[in-house]
Each structure stands twice: as C-alpha cells, then as structure tokens.
Amino acid sequence: MTAPATTSHVTIFAADWCPFCKKLRQRLDRTETPYDLVDVEDDGMDDVNEWIKSVNDGNRIVPTVLYSDGTHATNPEASAVRKKLRELTGEE
C-alpha cells in the first residue's frame, strides 16, 4: 500500500482520544519541532487508516509517523523523531 502524500518531513497520524499521541505532540511542541498533524478520525481518512494498518500488522495504531523519505515509525519517542528530522534536513 502506498503511503499518504505529504509535504512535510514529519507527519503524525493521530487521534484526539489517544494519550500517546498527546504526549508525543507535547514533547515535540516543547522543542518547537515542526510536523504536520493528520487526525485519523476525520471523514475521508479510510485510505490513511488502511495505510496505518498496513504498516502495523493489521492494527490501526496511533501515533504512526511518516517521514519524507518514506520510512515510518509507530509510537516513537520524541527524541527519535527529532533525530530523524535532523537526518532528513541535513542538520546535525
């Protein structure tokens, strides 16, 4: 299954009810780490939710993070997201 289109280096697929999503966003916001946010509960997210399931052994797990190089991570630590962003932008 093809990953959703994104123009951001970091796209977080999340839901308002998810405590892990909230924690990740708070930790990234605290360090002003840029990311796009996609609410998987919005209408029209069937394809996105199918992609999430396809990369998580059939489970719709959030947060799932998609990076601009096509890789992804499930429920990553904020430090891992920041590290990957530095790799993608060439900042070390």
Side-chain angles (χ1 to χ4, degrees):
M1 172 158 261
T2 305
T6 180
T7 58
S8 177
H9 284 299
V10 177
T11 302
I12 301 173
F13 297 93
D16 288 341
W17 50 262
C18 172
F20 302 104
C21 300
K22 183 176 182 178
K23 182 175 85 170
L24 177 60
R25 291 178 58 206
Q26 286 173 337
R27 291 181 174 176
L28 292 175
D29 290 347
R30 190 168 42 231
T31 56
E32 298 182 3
T33 304
Y35 61 88
D36 281 352
L37 181 67
V38 175
D39 186 344
V40 299
E41 297 293 322
D42 284 348
D43 290 338
M45 290 291 126
D46 292 342
D47 288 345
V48 167
N49 284 303
E50 287 303 313
W51 174 79
I52 291 169
K53 289 193 287 188
S54 78
V55 298
N56 289 300
D57 298 321
N59 299 303
R60 192 182 79 145
I61 300 173
V62 289
T64 296
V65 179
L66 174 62
Y67 299 106
S68 59
D69 65 357
T71 61
H72 64 275
T74 303
N75 196 16
E77 291 293 328
S79 59
V81 175
R82 287 190 290 271
K83 180 181 179 192
K84 182 67 175 183
L85 179 61
R86 286 191 301 272
E87 290 174 14
L88 293 168
T89 61
E91 298 173 15
E92 288 296 329

